[in-house]
Amino acid sequence: MPDQRELATAAALEIPRFVSATVLFQTAMAERLGISATELHGLQLVISGAATAPTQLARALGMTTGAVTRMLDRMEAQRLVERAPDPADRRRLVVRPLPDRLDEVADLYSPVARFFGDRLARLDRRQLAALLGVLTDGRTFAEQEASRLRSGSPEEGVD
C-alpha cells in the first residue's frame, strides 16, 4: 500500500489528466449538440443557476458582455436559452434554459452522472467532506489564479 506522500503525489499528478479528460468530454458533448465548448459551459452555468444574468455569465466565463451577448444570440437561435426581463428588476435580464433541448443535454450527461453518482456513493461521510473541501478550495484557487493571470499580476509571494 502506498504511503501518504506517494498517494498525495499520485493524486496531484492525476488532477491535470482528469481536467484534460473532462475538457475532451465537454468538447465532444458540445460538438454533438452543435455548439461551442464555451456555449456549453455557459449553458451549464445557466442550468445550474450559477449564472442567471448576462453580466454573471460574462464574469464566470471570463468574457466581455458584448461577447456574451453574441453567444446568447447563438444559444437562443439553437433553442437552448432565452433572455427575459428580471421580475425583480425589469431593467435587468435573466437567462433561462429552454426545455426544448434540455432532455438531449441530460441524455448526454447521464452516463457521467451515473458514474460519479456510483463512485461517490461508495465514499463515507468523512471522505465526501474531504473531497468536497479539495474541490471547493481548488475552484476558489483556480478562480483567483485566473484573475491574477488576466490582471498581469506577478506570482503570489514573488516581488
Side-chain angles (χ1 to χ4, degrees):
M1 175 78 161
D3 66 20
Q4 185 168 354
R5 183 181 206 161
E6 291 168 331
L7 285 171
T9 299
L13 292 172
E14 191 58 33
I15 291 169
R17 295 176 189 143
F18 174 76
V19 169
S20 180
T22 301
V23 169
L24 286 174
F25 170 75
Q26 297 288 62
T27 301
M29 221 179 118
E31 289 170 1
R32 177 67 71 91
L33 291 168
I35 61 177
S36 72
T38 302
E39 290 164 348
L40 178 61
H41 187 184
L43 179 62
Q44 292 166 329
L45 291 167
V46 169
I47 290 171
S48 71
T52 58
T55 52
Q56 289 175 324
L57 270 174
R59 196 169 23 259
L61 295 170
M63 298 170 66
T64 66
T65 54
V68 166
T69 296
R70 290 186 298 280
M71 181 187 79
L72 289 172
D73 290 343
R74 292 188 303 273
M75 292 173 72
E76 282 181 324
Q78 290 277 345
R79 301 289 305 146
L80 292 166
V81 299
E82 69 176 351
R83 287 172 277 199
D86 184 337
D89 183 350
R90 296 184 52 80
R91 296 170 295 174
R92 298 180 186 268
L93 292 175
V94 293
V95 182
R96 296 188 294 231
L98 288 173
D100 297 24
R101 297 187 63 199
L102 285 184
D103 286 344
E104 181 182 1
V105 173
D107 287 346
L108 292 172
Y109 271 119
S110 65
V112 172
R114 275 193 308 276
F115 171 80
F116 280 104
D118 291 346
R119 291 291 298 175
L120 293 172
R122 295 185 211 167
L123 302 179
D124 64 33
R125 188 178 173 101
R126 197 177 105 260
Q127 291 169 318
L128 284 170
L131 177 60
L132 180 59
V134 168
L135 293 173
T136 302
D137 292 348
R139 176 180 46 84
T140 300
F141 180 76
E143 290 168 350
Q144 290 168 348
E145 283 298 288
S147 291
R148 183 187 63 77
L149 290 169
R150 284 198 172 102
S151 74
S153 296
E155 185 176 338
E156 191 170 313
V158 175
D159 292 329

